[in-house]
Amino acid sequence: MEERELLFDDLLVGQEFPTSTIEISEEVVTKYAEAIGDTTVRKAEIASDDGSAVSKVVAHPTIAGIFTRPGRLLPSHLKMPPGSVQAEQSYEFLNPIAAGDTMFTMARVSEKYIRKERKYVGITFSTINQRGETVLRGSLIGIWGR
Amino acid sequence: MIQIGDALPTIQKEVTKGDIQRYAEASGDYNPLHVDEEFARNTPFGGIIAHGFLTLGHLSQMMVNVFGEGWIRGGTLRVKFIAPVKPGEIVETGGHVTDIFEENGQKVFICEIFCKNQRGENILVGSARACSL
């Protein structure tokens, strides 16, 4: 399918996006740590895939920005218009994110409005991992480029 | 022991073009506002700006330094992005504890948080919550 921009006028309140899937590889965790300038290794007890508890290296929970940015939540054939920026963000971090985990994020458009000629879009989302645990819930307000 | 009114230990970082590039690579977010000088020059920002989520990482570092796993598992964050961060700017995180209470056998800490630039201007403001585990 040909890639195209998802314009403000195309969005519908209540619209749900297909589940977005991403593996948080060791490389992603490392690059994120380097980008924010904190490469401290932190471990937490988390459930392994067979249900037993293991100590694993975990990322800062704000690594969630990688898979909950609007551009990532859209279907692959749609992209955000250039010039779009983030206005507000909220997160509830429920379970740690470890390298190798796979994130499945469900998102929907919660609101859209124009203020001072800026086009605002609200999106709510929740993410589960490959074990079915809810990793986080949250919402964002983005200013759409056009 | 953490008390109401306590300041959170600040973190200062210079945000470089390299940081922005690394974040783009980690996230796959190559929005031209962040990586294309020519495009960004012709926007109201006048040049490339850092991803907002990059600054959230600095806040997370501050919170995890104080609350450890009580931030990673059970933390909440609510922020408004006020101003962009340009390469070469110094970001300073800060905040203080505004409330402490017990909930489900855990101590819960409510904090006001912010990030400022080297001119003292707010980059983002908001609130956060962490637990004692």
Side-chain angles (χ1 to χ4, degrees):
Chain A
M1 199 176 292
E2 193 176 331
E3 190 180 65
R4 66 176 175 86
E5 290 176 7
L6 179 61
L7 304 179
F8 179 81
D9 289 341
D10 297 335
L11 289 159
L12 299 172
V13 174
Q15 177 178 354
E16 294 183 355
F17 300 124
T19 299
S20 162
T21 304
I22 182 174
E23 183 190 342
I24 305 298
S25 66
E26 249 179 68
E27 184 187 4
V28 167
V29 171
T30 301
K31 276 194 174 158
Y32 179 79
E34 289 172 352
I36 68 169
D38 181 19
T39 53
T40 308
V41 175
R42 296 186 175 86
K43 291 189 171 185
E45 290 281 314
I46 63 175
S48 64
D49 292 346
D50 67 9
S52 59
V54 291
S55 178
K56 278 196 169 181
V57 175
V58 295
H60 275 284
T62 45
I63 199 171
I66 286 175
F67 54 87
T68 59
R69 66 183 172 86
R72 174 73 78 173
L73 298 174
L74 303 182
S76 58
H77 68 286
L78 297 174
K79 61 178 183 179
M80 289 187 71
S84 302
V85 292
Q86 205 81 354
E88 296 181 25
Q89 187 77 41
S90 70
Y91 284 118
E92 186 180 0
F93 304 120
L94 301 170
N95 275 296
I97 300 167
D101 281 353
T102 302
M103 302 288 119
F104 302 90
T105 302
M106 288 69 69
R108 64 184 284 275
V109 178
S110 57
E111 58 181 334
K112 57 182 266 192
Y113 53 91
I114 297 175
R115 188 177 295 161
K116 294 181 180 173
E117 298 181 7
R118 287 180 170 170
K119 296 175 165 122
Y120 291 86
V121 176
I123 296 175
T124 59
F125 52 81
S126 66
T127 299
I128 61 172
N129 62 22
Q130 73 275 15
R131 294 178 295 280
E133 300 164 330
T134 302
V135 174
L136 59 87
R137 288 190 283 262
S139 63
L140 64 87
I141 295 177
I143 301 173
W144 236 244
R146 51 182 170 228
Chain B
M1 187 202 295
I2 301 170
Q3 296 183 324
I4 292 174
D6 281 358
L8 301 173
T10 64
I11 289 175
Q12 274 195 353
K13 305 256 185 191
E14 179 183 353
V15 175
T16 67
K17 280 187 185 175
D19 296 334
I20 296 170
Q21 182 61 32
R22 277 185 283 277
Y23 188 84
E25 289 168 9
S27 65
D29 184 354
Y30 290 96
N31 181 332
L33 260 182
H34 306 306
V35 294
D36 184 338
E37 284 280 8
E38 194 175 332
F39 173 89
R41 201 176 302 125
N42 295 311
T43 69
F45 299 109
I48 64 170
I49 60 173
H51 306 74
F53 287 117
L54 180 56
T55 313
L56 290 190
H58 301 145
L59 275 179
S60 180
Q61 188 181 350
M62 175 180 73
M63 294 298 289
V64 82
N65 284 349
V66 178
F67 300 105
E69 200 172 335
W71 168 245
I72 292 171
R73 192 192 305 268
T76 70
L77 179 65
R78 179 180 291 267
V79 297
K80 281 189 180 181
F81 296 95
I82 308 291
V85 178
K86 295 184 174 179
E89 291 193 334
I90 310 289
V91 170
E92 180 176 316
T93 69
H96 66 279
V97 179
T98 58
D99 198 10
I100 302 172
F101 55 89
E102 297 272 335
E103 187 178 271
N104 300 325
Q106 290 183 325
K107 199 170 262 191
V108 176
F109 303 89
I110 307 295
C111 307
E112 282 184 9
I113 53 172
F114 62 81
C115 287
K116 292 181 185 291
N117 61 23
Q118 71 275 16
R119 296 179 296 280
E121 300 161 340
N122 280 327
I123 295 162
L124 63 81
V125 297
S127 60
R129 165 188 164 129
C131 308
S132 63
L133 292 179

